[in-house]
Amino acid sequence: MVYCSKCGSKLSDDSNFCLKCGVRTKKGIKEGVSPHWAYRSNWEQEIEDALSKAAKNVEEAFNAARENIRRSINKKPIACPKCKEENLSYHKFCYKCGKKFK
Ligand SMILES: [Zn+2]
Ligand SMILES: [Zn+2]
């Protein structure tokens, strides 16, 4: 049985770290075991990657939606059957003569 140098917790002989406070035991230091937080940068990098991937997906979805909207707005103009004036596809009435479009 070994005791933590920091908090005094009883630890099993094969412990490299205190299970209470995370401080390295003499065994851990002697064997050169890196503390878990030494790997944190990798872990943070993974989160970062996942987030940027998610952000990219959102951006692509936005672009697709924007493209759809743009396409639906940019439909060919329609010519009024009465006065032949060109109206945009979303017009319900001819803006020149007032004819109702079907
Ligand atoms: Zn401890
Ligand atoms: Zn018209």
Side-chain angles (χ1 to χ4, degrees):
M1 195 63 80
V2 293
Y3 294 90
C4 172
S5 59
K6 193 178 170 192
C7 71
S9 293
K10 273 186 192 173
L11 306 169
S12 60
D13 289 334
D14 60 349
S15 297
N16 290 324
F17 297 95
C18 171
L19 54 87
K20 280 270 175 72
C21 72
V23 86
R24 254 196 310 191
T25 62
K26 279 181 187 134
K27 183 181 177 290
I29 292 164
K30 205 178 117 192
E31 296 189 1
V33 182
S34 298
H36 64 94
W37 28 265
Y39 299 107
R40 202 175 178 178
S41 55
N42 288 339
W43 175 79
E44 278 177 347
Q45 191 56 48
E46 268 174 42
I47 301 266
E48 191 78 13
D49 288 349
L51 281 177
S52 66
K53 239 175 247 169
K56 202 160 173 275
N57 287 342
V58 169
E59 200 187 315
E60 276 167 14
F62 261 117
N63 286 340
R66 191 160 46 210
E67 184 62 23
N68 282 340
I69 290 165
R70 207 171 59 82
R71 244 181 249 152
S72 65
I73 288 170
N74 285 355
K75 272 178 191 162
K76 276 182 189 159
I78 46 169
C80 172
K82 199 176 166 194
C83 73
K84 307 296 179 205
E85 187 65 34
E86 278 195 345
N87 284 257
L88 295 177
S89 61
Y90 61 85
H91 289 185
K92 288 200 168 76
F93 295 89
C94 173
Y95 80 103
K96 277 280 168 141
C97 72
K99 178 160 175 59
K100 193 176 196 292
F101 298 141
K102 278 171 195 166

